[in-house]
Amino acid sequence: MKFSHNSGVYRLFNEQFLPISIETAWSFFSDPKNLQLITPKEMDFKITNPVHEKAYPGQIITYSIKLNRFRMNWITEITHVEEEDYFVDEQRFGPYKMWHHVHKFKVVDDGVLMTDIVYFKLPFPLFARIAYKLFVKRNLEQIFTHRELQLNTLIQSNQLK
């Protein structure tokens, strides 16, 4: 996992190899309901609106989450979808000033390389750098690390095949 920062915009880059087919990877990740399976329990993640099984451009997904003991609502829109290649979710309302998350999938030997590229900007510019250093970076590291472990567990237990 790599983080970078430029002009007040932060970037998270993460890759994970998944020893599954592209069809399986796409089916799992393009279904918003599966987010709950790979999100840390302490975030108490809940989708609060009816969602279709597959992501599509223009899809609005509303969530309720806990971040640092504070409950908040988060609304994202799926803005781009290229089946079995990538999709993009963007925050419309929520804890970030900006959130643009690209989920990419590439067929490689014996599986799929999944890449996440997240661009985000924090609210309150005077406090953004401090908040990033104190808890935002650590929270994102924990979320993506948890997701990686959960995916490995699902694959090893044949729940994701």
Side-chain angles (χ1 to χ4, degrees), residues 34-45 65 143 146-147 150:
N34 288 328
L35 273 171
Q36 191 165 357
L37 295 173
I38 58 174
T39 301
K41 299 278 186 238
E42 59 271 13
M43 289 184 70
D44 195 22
F45 177 93
I65 60 171
I143 290 166
H146 176 83
R147 184 180 80 168
Q150 283 298 105

Side-chain angles (χ1 to χ4, degrees), residues 116-130:
D116 291 282
I117 305 168
V118 181
Y119 289 93
F120 61 97
K121 189 170 179 98
L122 299 171
F124 312 113
L126 293 174
F127 303 105
R129 190 174 299 239
I130 294 167

